[in-house]
mmCIF file of all heavy atoms in Angstrom:
data_model
loop_
_atom_site.group_PDB
_atom_site.id
_atom_site.type_symbol
_atom_site.label_atom_id
_atom_site.label_comp_id
_atom_site.label_asym_id
_atom_site.label_seq_id
_atom_site.Cartn_x
_atom_site.Cartn_y
_atom_site.Cartn_z
ATOM 1 N N PRO A 312 15.029 40.420 -18.722
ATOM 2 C CA PRO A 312 16.366 39.803 -18.769
ATOM 3 C C PRO A 312 17.420 40.566 -17.962
ATOM 4 O O PRO A 312 18.280 39.951 -17.329
ATOM 5 C CB PRO A 312 16.719 39.797 -20.252
ATOM 6 C CG PRO A 312 15.404 39.831 -20.951
ATOM 7 C CD PRO A 312 14.494 40.624 -20.062
ATOM 8 N N ALA A 313 17.349 41.878 -17.940
ATOM 9 C CA ALA A 313 18.319 42.663 -17.171
ATOM 10 C C ALA A 313 18.148 42.426 -15.669
ATOM 11 O O ALA A 313 19.133 42.295 -14.934
ATOM 12 C CB ALA A 313 18.171 44.140 -17.493
ATOM 13 N N HIS A 314 16.897 42.341 -15.231
ATOM 14 C CA HIS A 314 16.632 42.083 -13.810
ATOM 15 C C HIS A 314 17.068 40.671 -13.426
ATOM 16 O O HIS A 314 17.676 40.461 -12.372
ATOM 17 C CB HIS A 314 15.152 42.290 -13.499
ATOM 18 C CG HIS A 314 14.801 42.000 -12.081
ATOM 19 N ND1 HIS A 314 15.204 42.805 -11.043
ATOM 20 C CD2 HIS A 314 14.099 40.988 -11.517
ATOM 21 C CE1 HIS A 314 14.766 42.307 -9.903
ATOM 22 N NE2 HIS A 314 14.095 41.194 -10.170
ATOM 23 N N LEU A 315 16.766 39.701 -14.279
ATOM 24 C CA LEU A 315 17.162 38.321 -14.009
ATOM 25 C C LEU A 315 18.681 38.194 -13.946
ATOM 26 O O LEU A 315 19.218 37.514 -13.071
ATOM 27 C CB LEU A 315 16.589 37.403 -15.084
ATOM 28 C CG LEU A 315 16.734 35.907 -14.846
ATOM 29 C CD1 LEU A 315 16.063 35.488 -13.550
ATOM 30 C CD2 LEU A 315 16.151 35.143 -16.012
ATOM 31 N N LEU A 316 19.379 38.875 -14.831
ATOM 32 C CA LEU A 316 20.837 38.851 -14.820
ATOM 33 C C LEU A 316 21.393 39.508 -13.559
ATOM 34 O O LEU A 316 22.358 39.014 -12.966
ATOM 35 C CB LEU A 316 21.385 39.547 -16.068
ATOM 36 C CG LEU A 316 22.874 39.427 -16.308
ATOM 37 C CD1 LEU A 316 23.283 37.965 -16.426
ATOM 38 C CD2 LEU A 316 23.260 40.193 -17.550
ATOM 39 N N SER A 317 20.768 40.596 -13.127
ATOM 40 C CA SER A 317 21.250 41.246 -11.897
ATOM 41 C C SER A 317 20.996 40.365 -10.674
ATOM 42 O O SER A 317 21.810 40.341 -9.749
ATOM 43 C CB SER A 317 20.603 42.614 -11.719
ATOM 44 O OG SER A 317 19.229 42.489 -11.432
ATOM 45 N N VAL A 318 19.898 39.620 -10.673
ATOM 46 C CA VAL A 318 19.634 38.691 -9.564
ATOM 47 C C VAL A 318 20.659 37.566 -9.571
ATOM 48 O O VAL A 318 21.184 37.181 -8.519
ATOM 49 C CB VAL A 318 18.194 38.128 -9.648
ATOM 50 C CG1 VAL A 318 17.994 36.964 -8.697
ATOM 51 C CG2 VAL A 318 17.178 39.217 -9.360
ATOM 52 N N LEU A 319 20.976 37.032 -10.754
ATOM 53 C CA LEU A 319 21.935 35.940 -10.838
ATOM 54 C C LEU A 319 23.360 36.376 -10.507
ATOM 55 O O LEU A 319 24.176 35.563 -10.088
ATOM 56 C CB LEU A 319 21.898 35.315 -12.234
ATOM 57 C CG LEU A 319 20.642 34.513 -12.539
ATOM 58 C CD1 LEU A 319 20.652 34.045 -13.978
ATOM 59 C CD2 LEU A 319 20.507 33.346 -11.594
ATOM 60 N N ARG A 320 23.671 37.642 -10.674
ATOM 61 C CA ARG A 320 25.017 38.147 -10.349
ATOM 62 C C ARG A 320 25.154 38.579 -8.899
ATOM 63 O O ARG A 320 26.260 38.888 -8.454
ATOM 64 C CB ARG A 320 25.359 39.322 -11.261
ATOM 65 C CG ARG A 320 25.663 38.876 -12.664
ATOM 66 C CD ARG A 320 26.153 40.009 -13.498
ATOM 67 N NE ARG A 320 26.545 39.517 -14.811
ATOM 68 C CZ ARG A 320 26.651 40.279 -15.876
ATOM 69 N NH1 ARG A 320 26.413 41.572 -15.789
ATOM 70 N NH2 ARG A 320 27.009 39.764 -17.013
ATOM 71 N N HIS A 321 24.062 38.590 -8.152
ATOM 72 C CA HIS A 321 24.115 38.997 -6.742
ATOM 73 C C HIS A 321 24.873 37.940 -5.935
ATOM 74 O O HIS A 321 24.706 36.741 -6.139
ATOM 75 C CB HIS A 321 22.690 39.164 -6.193
ATOM 76 C CG HIS A 321 22.640 39.904 -4.914
ATOM 77 N ND1 HIS A 321 22.863 39.295 -3.708
ATOM 78 C CD2 HIS A 321 22.427 41.207 -4.653
ATOM 79 C CE1 HIS A 321 22.764 40.192 -2.739
ATOM 80 N NE2 HIS A 321 22.505 41.370 -3.293
ATOM 81 N N PRO A 322 25.727 38.363 -4.996
ATOM 82 C CA PRO A 322 26.529 37.410 -4.216
ATOM 83 C C PRO A 322 25.694 36.405 -3.415
ATOM 84 O O PRO A 322 26.106 35.250 -3.277
ATOM 85 C CB PRO A 322 27.350 38.302 -3.281
ATOM 86 C CG PRO A 322 27.342 39.648 -3.900
ATOM 87 C CD PRO A 322 26.096 39.757 -4.706
ATOM 88 N N VAL A 323 24.551 36.812 -2.907
ATOM 89 C CA VAL A 323 23.721 35.884 -2.129
ATOM 90 C C VAL A 323 23.158 34.790 -3.036
ATOM 91 O O VAL A 323 23.119 33.610 -2.665
ATOM 92 C CB VAL A 323 22.588 36.640 -1.393
ATOM 93 C CG1 VAL A 323 21.641 35.670 -0.721
ATOM 94 C CG2 VAL A 323 23.174 37.609 -0.385
ATOM 95 N N THR A 324 22.755 35.160 -4.252
ATOM 96 C CA THR A 324 22.259 34.169 -5.202
ATOM 97 C C THR A 324 23.369 33.192 -5.574
ATOM 98 O O THR A 324 23.135 31.983 -5.644
ATOM 99 C CB THR A 324 21.726 34.852 -6.474
ATOM 100 O OG1 THR A 324 20.739 35.808 -6.105
ATOM 101 C CG2 THR A 324 21.134 33.856 -7.429
ATOM 102 N N LYS A 325 24.564 33.700 -5.786
ATOM 103 C CA LYS A 325 25.696 32.833 -6.099
ATOM 104 C C LYS A 325 25.984 31.872 -4.951
ATOM 105 O O LYS A 325 26.252 30.694 -5.171
ATOM 106 C CB LYS A 325 26.934 33.663 -6.417
ATOM 107 C CG LYS A 325 26.875 34.364 -7.742
ATOM 108 C CD LYS A 325 28.164 35.113 -7.996
ATOM 109 C CE LYS A 325 28.155 35.766 -9.364
ATOM 110 N NZ LYS A 325 29.448 36.376 -9.678
ATOM 111 N N LEU A 326 25.916 32.375 -3.730
ATOM 112 C CA LEU A 326 26.154 31.527 -2.568
ATOM 113 C C LEU A 326 25.096 30.439 -2.455
ATOM 114 O O LEU A 326 25.417 29.276 -2.182
ATOM 115 C CB LEU A 326 26.187 32.382 -1.297
ATOM 116 C CG LEU A 326 26.445 31.629 0.002
ATOM 117 C CD1 LEU A 326 27.840 31.046 -0.003
ATOM 118 C CD2 LEU A 326 26.236 32.546 1.179
ATOM 119 N N ILE A 327 23.830 30.801 -2.672
ATOM 120 C CA ILE A 327 22.750 29.811 -2.594
ATOM 121 C C ILE A 327 22.922 28.745 -3.671
ATOM 122 O O ILE A 327 22.758 27.545 -3.403
ATOM 123 C CB ILE A 327 21.377 30.506 -2.697
ATOM 124 C CG1 ILE A 327 21.116 31.313 -1.432
ATOM 125 C CG2 ILE A 327 20.263 29.498 -2.939
ATOM 126 C CD1 ILE A 327 19.915 32.214 -1.507
ATOM 127 N N LEU A 328 23.261 29.140 -4.885
ATOM 128 C CA LEU A 328 23.480 28.170 -5.954
ATOM 129 C C LEU A 328 24.684 27.276 -5.660
ATOM 130 O O LEU A 328 24.656 26.070 -5.930
ATOM 131 C CB LEU A 328 23.665 28.882 -7.291
ATOM 132 C CG LEU A 328 22.421 29.513 -7.887
ATOM 133 C CD1 LEU A 328 22.779 30.303 -9.141
ATOM 134 C CD2 LEU A 328 21.375 28.466 -8.196
ATOM 135 N N LEU A 329 25.731 27.853 -5.084
ATOM 136 C CA LEU A 329 26.907 27.065 -4.717
ATOM 137 C C LEU A 329 26.560 26.036 -3.646
ATOM 138 O O LEU A 329 26.915 24.860 -3.757
ATOM 139 C CB LEU A 329 28.030 27.982 -4.234
ATOM 140 C CG LEU A 329 29.319 27.289 -3.809
ATOM 141 C CD1 LEU A 329 29.962 26.589 -4.999
ATOM 142 C CD2 LEU A 329 30.281 28.292 -3.196
ATOM 143 N N VAL A 330 25.840 26.457 -2.616
ATOM 144 C CA VAL A 330 25.433 25.533 -1.549
ATOM 145 C C VAL A 330 24.535 24.437 -2.115
ATOM 146 O O VAL A 330 24.691 23.253 -1.771
ATOM 147 C CB VAL A 330 24.732 26.304 -0.402
ATOM 148 C CG1 VAL A 330 24.033 25.365 0.552
ATOM 149 C CG2 VAL A 330 25.744 27.162 0.341
ATOM 150 N N LEU A 331 23.606 24.798 -2.984
ATOM 151 C CA LEU A 331 22.722 23.814 -3.604
ATOM 152 C C LEU A 331 23.521 22.769 -4.379
ATOM 153 O O LEU A 331 23.307 21.559 -4.221
ATOM 154 C CB LEU A 331 21.724 24.504 -4.536
ATOM 155 C CG LEU A 331 20.857 23.600 -5.404
ATOM 156 C CD1 LEU A 331 19.880 22.824 -4.550
ATOM 157 C CD2 LEU A 331 20.137 24.405 -6.453
ATOM 158 N N CYS A 332 24.470 23.214 -5.174
ATOM 159 C CA CYS A 332 25.262 22.278 -5.977
ATOM 160 C C CYS A 332 26.166 21.405 -5.111
ATOM 161 O O CYS A 332 26.248 20.188 -5.309
ATOM 162 C CB CYS A 332 26.085 23.036 -7.002
ATOM 163 S SG CYS A 332 25.093 23.806 -8.284
ATOM 164 N N VAL A 333 26.847 22.007 -4.149
ATOM 165 C CA VAL A 333 27.779 21.252 -3.307
ATOM 166 C C VAL A 333 27.037 20.204 -2.479
ATOM 167 O O VAL A 333 27.432 19.032 -2.427
ATOM 168 C CB VAL A 333 28.588 22.202 -2.396
ATOM 169 C CG1 VAL A 333 29.344 21.430 -1.330
ATOM 170 C CG2 VAL A 333 29.546 23.036 -3.229
ATOM 171 N N LEU A 334 25.950 20.598 -1.839
ATOM 172 C CA LEU A 334 25.210 19.638 -1.026
ATOM 173 C C LEU A 334 24.580 18.545 -1.880
ATOM 174 O O LEU A 334 24.534 17.386 -1.470
ATOM 175 C CB LEU A 334 24.152 20.353 -0.184
ATOM 176 C CG LEU A 334 24.695 21.191 0.968
ATOM 177 C CD1 LEU A 334 23.550 21.894 1.692
ATOM 178 C CD2 LEU A 334 25.499 20.353 1.937
ATOM 179 N N SER A 335 24.126 18.884 -3.077
ATOM 180 C CA SER A 335 23.567 17.865 -3.970
ATOM 181 C C SER A 335 24.640 16.870 -4.409
ATOM 182 O O SER A 335 24.369 15.669 -4.511
ATOM 183 C CB SER A 335 22.934 18.525 -5.192
ATOM 184 O OG SER A 335 21.829 19.291 -4.818
ATOM 185 N N LEU A 336 25.849 17.358 -4.660
ATOM 186 C CA LEU A 336 26.939 16.452 -5.034
ATOM 187 C C LEU A 336 27.292 15.497 -3.893
ATOM 188 O O LEU A 336 27.523 14.306 -4.122
ATOM 189 C CB LEU A 336 28.169 17.255 -5.454
ATOM 190 C CG LEU A 336 28.125 17.862 -6.845
ATOM 191 C CD1 LEU A 336 29.268 18.850 -7.036
ATOM 192 C CD2 LEU A 336 28.182 16.781 -7.903
ATOM 193 N N PHE A 337 27.343 16.001 -2.672
ATOM 194 C CA PHE A 337 27.653 15.120 -1.548
ATOM 195 C C PHE A 337 26.505 14.164 -1.249
ATOM 196 O O PHE A 337 26.727 13.033 -0.820
ATOM 197 C CB PHE A 337 28.056 15.919 -0.308
ATOM 198 C CG PHE A 337 29.498 16.298 -0.332
ATOM 199 C CD1 PHE A 337 29.903 17.533 -0.786
ATOM 200 C CD2 PHE A 337 30.470 15.394 0.060
ATOM 201 C CE1 PHE A 337 31.236 17.874 -0.839
ATOM 202 C CE2 PHE A 337 31.816 15.720 0.018
ATOM 203 C CZ PHE A 337 32.204 16.969 -0.435
ATOM 204 N N HIS A 338 25.284 14.588 -1.484
ATOM 205 C CA HIS A 338 24.132 13.687 -1.350
ATOM 206 C C HIS A 338 24.276 12.542 -2.353
ATOM 207 O O HIS A 338 24.102 11.374 -2.004
ATOM 208 C CB HIS A 338 22.834 14.456 -1.580
ATOM 209 C CG HIS A 338 21.619 13.602 -1.481
ATOM 210 N ND1 HIS A 338 21.082 13.217 -0.280
ATOM 211 C CD2 HIS A 338 20.828 13.064 -2.430
ATOM 212 C CE1 HIS A 338 20.018 12.468 -0.495
ATOM 213 N NE2 HIS A 338 19.843 12.357 -1.806
ATOM 214 N N TRP A 339 24.595 12.884 -3.604
ATOM 215 C CA TRP A 339 24.799 11.854 -4.618
ATOM 216 C C TRP A 339 25.929 10.914 -4.218
ATOM 217 O O TRP A 339 25.799 9.684 -4.344
ATOM 218 C CB TRP A 339 25.122 12.495 -5.976
ATOM 219 C CG TRP A 339 25.715 11.485 -6.900
ATOM 220 C CD1 TRP A 339 25.047 10.593 -7.671
ATOM 221 C CD2 TRP A 339 27.109 11.224 -7.088
ATOM 222 N NE1 TRP A 339 25.941 9.802 -8.351
ATOM 223 C CE2 TRP A 339 27.221 10.161 -8.010
ATOM 224 C CE3 TRP A 339 28.270 11.790 -6.581
ATOM 225 C CZ2 TRP A 339 28.442 9.658 -8.425
ATOM 226 C CZ3 TRP A 339 29.490 11.280 -6.996
ATOM 227 C CH2 TRP A 339 29.570 10.234 -7.904
ATOM 228 N N ALA A 340 27.048 11.467 -3.774
ATOM 229 C CA ALA A 340 28.217 10.653 -3.453
ATOM 230 C C ALA A 340 27.893 9.636 -2.363
ATOM 231 O O ALA A 340 28.256 8.459 -2.466
ATOM 232 C CB ALA A 340 29.382 11.541 -3.021
ATOM 233 N N HIS A 341 27.199 10.067 -1.327
ATOM 234 C CA HIS A 341 26.870 9.168 -0.223
ATOM 235 C C HIS A 341 25.891 8.087 -0.674
ATOM 236 O O HIS A 341 26.059 6.914 -0.357
ATOM 237 C CB HIS A 341 26.297 9.984 0.933
ATOM 238 C CG HIS A 341 26.409 9.311 2.256
ATOM 239 N ND1 HIS A 341 27.615 9.095 2.880
ATOM 240 C CD2 HIS A 341 25.468 8.800 3.085
ATOM 241 C CE1 HIS A 341 27.413 8.489 4.032
ATOM 242 N NE2 HIS A 341 26.125 8.301 4.178
ATOM 243 N N ARG A 342 24.885 8.497 -1.427
ATOM 244 C CA ARG A 342 23.894 7.529 -1.920
ATOM 245 C C ARG A 342 24.547 6.510 -2.856
ATOM 246 O O ARG A 342 24.301 5.311 -2.761
ATOM 247 C CB ARG A 342 22.759 8.251 -2.632
ATOM 248 C CG ARG A 342 21.661 7.337 -3.094
ATOM 249 C CD ARG A 342 20.520 8.131 -3.681
ATOM 250 N NE ARG A 342 19.845 8.928 -2.690
ATOM 251 C CZ ARG A 342 18.785 8.522 -2.000
ATOM 252 N NH1 ARG A 342 18.284 7.334 -2.203
ATOM 253 N NH2 ARG A 342 18.209 9.313 -1.132
ATOM 254 N N PHE A 343 25.399 6.985 -3.759
ATOM 255 C CA PHE A 343 26.050 6.088 -4.710
ATOM 256 C C PHE A 343 27.029 5.162 -4.000
ATOM 257 O O PHE A 343 27.143 3.979 -4.348
ATOM 258 C CB PHE A 343 26.762 6.921 -5.782
ATOM 259 C CG PHE A 343 27.185 6.122 -6.975
ATOM 260 C CD1 PHE A 343 26.246 5.568 -7.821
ATOM 261 C CD2 PHE A 343 28.527 5.941 -7.249
ATOM 262 C CE1 PHE A 343 26.638 4.822 -8.924
ATOM 263 C CE2 PHE A 343 28.923 5.206 -8.346
ATOM 264 C CZ PHE A 343 27.981 4.642 -9.185
ATOM 265 N N ARG A 344 27.727 5.683 -2.991
ATOM 266 C CA ARG A 344 28.654 4.849 -2.229
ATOM 267 C C ARG A 344 27.927 3.677 -1.594
ATOM 268 O O ARG A 344 28.364 2.527 -1.693
ATOM 269 C CB ARG A 344 29.328 5.676 -1.145
ATOM 270 C CG ARG A 344 30.148 4.841 -0.193
ATOM 271 C CD ARG A 344 30.576 5.612 1.018
ATOM 272 N NE ARG A 344 31.243 4.745 1.966
ATOM 273 C CZ ARG A 344 31.480 5.079 3.211
ATOM 274 N NH1 ARG A 344 31.140 6.262 3.656
ATOM 275 N NH2 ARG A 344 32.076 4.239 4.008
ATOM 276 N N TYR A 345 26.796 3.948 -0.936
ATOM 277 C CA TYR A 345 26.100 2.865 -0.269
ATOM 278 C C TYR A 345 25.331 1.975 -1.237
ATOM 279 O O TYR A 345 25.062 0.822 -0.925
ATOM 280 C CB TYR A 345 25.200 3.415 0.850
ATOM 281 C CG TYR A 345 26.026 3.657 2.079
ATOM 282 C CD1 TYR A 345 26.499 4.916 2.381
ATOM 283 C CD2 TYR A 345 26.401 2.609 2.899
ATOM 284 C CE1 TYR A 345 27.295 5.136 3.482
ATOM 285 C CE2 TYR A 345 27.205 2.805 4.005
ATOM 286 C CZ TYR A 345 27.646 4.078 4.298
ATOM 287 O OH TYR A 345 28.448 4.271 5.384
ATOM 288 N N THR A 346 25.022 2.478 -2.412
ATOM 289 C CA THR A 346 24.443 1.606 -3.435
ATOM 290 C C THR A 346 25.484 0.588 -3.888
ATOM 291 O O THR A 346 25.177 -0.602 -4.022
ATOM 292 C CB THR A 346 23.965 2.432 -4.641
ATOM 293 O OG1 THR A 346 22.941 3.326 -4.219
ATOM 294 C CG2 THR A 346 23.436 1.540 -5.748
ATOM 295 N N LEU A 347 26.709 1.041 -4.115
ATOM 296 C CA LEU A 347 27.768 0.118 -4.507
ATOM 297 C C LEU A 347 28.174 -0.797 -3.356
ATOM 298 O O LEU A 347 28.409 -1.986 -3.556
ATOM 299 C CB LEU A 347 28.995 0.899 -4.993
ATOM 300 C CG LEU A 347 28.817 1.704 -6.277
ATOM 301 C CD1 LEU A 347 30.078 2.500 -6.561
ATOM 302 C CD2 LEU A 347 28.471 0.814 -7.443
ATOM 303 N N HIS A 348 28.240 -0.237 -2.167
ATOM 304 C CA HIS A 348 28.710 -0.982 -0.998
ATOM 305 C C HIS A 348 27.706 -2.049 -0.572
ATOM 306 O O HIS A 348 28.063 -3.217 -0.416
ATOM 307 C CB HIS A 348 28.970 0.006 0.144
ATOM 308 C CG HIS A 348 29.575 -0.621 1.349
ATOM 309 N ND1 HIS A 348 28.823 -1.121 2.378
ATOM 310 C CD2 HIS A 348 30.869 -0.806 1.699
ATOM 311 C CE1 HIS A 348 29.621 -1.604 3.312
ATOM 312 N NE2 HIS A 348 30.869 -1.414 2.922
ATOM 313 N N ASP A 349 26.456 -1.656 -0.382
ATOM 314 C CA ASP A 349 25.448 -2.585 0.118
ATOM 315 C C ASP A 349 24.627 -3.225 -0.999
ATOM 316 O O ASP A 349 24.329 -4.413 -0.953
ATOM 317 C CB ASP A 349 24.499 -1.867 1.082
ATOM 318 C CG ASP A 349 25.201 -1.419 2.346
ATOM 319 O OD1 ASP A 349 26.202 -2.050 2.720
ATOM 320 O OD2 ASP A 349 24.753 -0.434 2.949
ATOM 321 N N GLY A 350 24.237 -2.413 -1.975
ATOM 322 C CA GLY A 350 23.370 -2.935 -3.022
ATOM 323 C C GLY A 350 24.070 -3.925 -3.934
ATOM 324 O O GLY A 350 23.529 -4.977 -4.262
ATOM 325 N N LEU A 351 25.263 -3.599 -4.361
ATOM 326 C CA LEU A 351 26.014 -4.478 -5.261
ATOM 327 C C LEU A 351 27.028 -5.344 -4.510
ATOM 328 O O LEU A 351 27.761 -6.109 -5.125
ATOM 329 C CB LEU A 351 26.728 -3.656 -6.334
ATOM 330 C CG LEU A 351 25.803 -2.877 -7.273
ATOM 331 C CD1 LEU A 351 26.619 -2.074 -8.268
ATOM 332 C CD2 LEU A 351 24.861 -3.819 -8.000
ATOM 333 N N ARG A 352 27.098 -5.166 -3.203
ATOM 334 C CA ARG A 352 27.963 -5.962 -2.323
ATOM 335 C C ARG A 352 29.436 -5.882 -2.732
ATOM 336 O O ARG A 352 30.124 -6.884 -2.849
ATOM 337 C CB ARG A 352 27.486 -7.402 -2.264
ATOM 338 C CG ARG A 352 26.092 -7.519 -1.706
ATOM 339 C CD ARG A 352 25.615 -8.939 -1.779
ATOM 340 N NE ARG A 352 24.188 -8.961 -1.547
ATOM 341 C CZ ARG A 352 23.622 -9.560 -0.517
ATOM 342 N NH1 ARG A 352 24.354 -10.184 0.366
ATOM 343 N NH2 ARG A 352 22.315 -9.545 -0.381
ATOM 344 N N LEU A 353 29.887 -4.671 -2.953
ATOM 345 C CA LEU A 353 31.287 -4.448 -3.308
ATOM 346 C C LEU A 353 32.077 -3.964 -2.101
ATOM 347 O O LEU A 353 32.881 -3.042 -2.193
ATOM 348 C CB LEU A 353 31.381 -3.435 -4.457
ATOM 349 C CG LEU A 353 30.731 -3.848 -5.768
ATOM 350 C CD1 LEU A 353 30.772 -2.706 -6.766
ATOM 351 C CD2 LEU A 353 31.392 -5.087 -6.330
ATOM 352 N N LYS A 354 31.864 -4.593 -0.958
ATOM 353 C CA LYS A 354 32.504 -4.150 0.279
ATOM 354 C C LYS A 354 34.022 -4.256 0.222
ATOM 355 O O LYS A 354 34.724 -3.478 0.847
ATOM 356 C CB LYS A 354 31.970 -4.966 1.454
ATOM 357 C CG LYS A 354 30.516 -4.703 1.704
ATOM 358 C CD LYS A 354 29.959 -5.552 2.806
ATOM 359 C CE LYS A 354 28.497 -5.201 2.932
ATOM 360 N NZ LYS A 354 27.701 -6.155 3.591
#
């Protein structure tokens, strides 16, 4: 647990987790936008 906590507190790990979350959110946003726009025809 101490090693895992030190890995999670490392700045590079924080940056990787931040990039993962941000890019996943924008992936969702784009996919959901076009689902509403084209799939449900809410142009």
Side-chain angles (χ1 to χ4, degrees):
H314 178 70
L315 189 59
L316 189 59
S317 69
V318 168
L319 289 175
R320 287 187 175 160
H321 195 277
V323 174
T324 305
K325 288 182 177 186
L326 181 66
I327 290 170
L328 288 174
L329 180 64
V330 167
L331 172 68
C332 292
V333 168
L334 289 178
S335 294
L336 283 169
F337 276 96
H338 179 79
W339 163 83
H341 202 68
R342 183 175 293 268
F343 194 67
R344 172 192 174 194
Y345 278 98
T346 298
L347 294 176
H348 185 269
D349 294 333
L351 297 179
R352 299 175 194 244
L353 298 174
K354 294 177 181 161

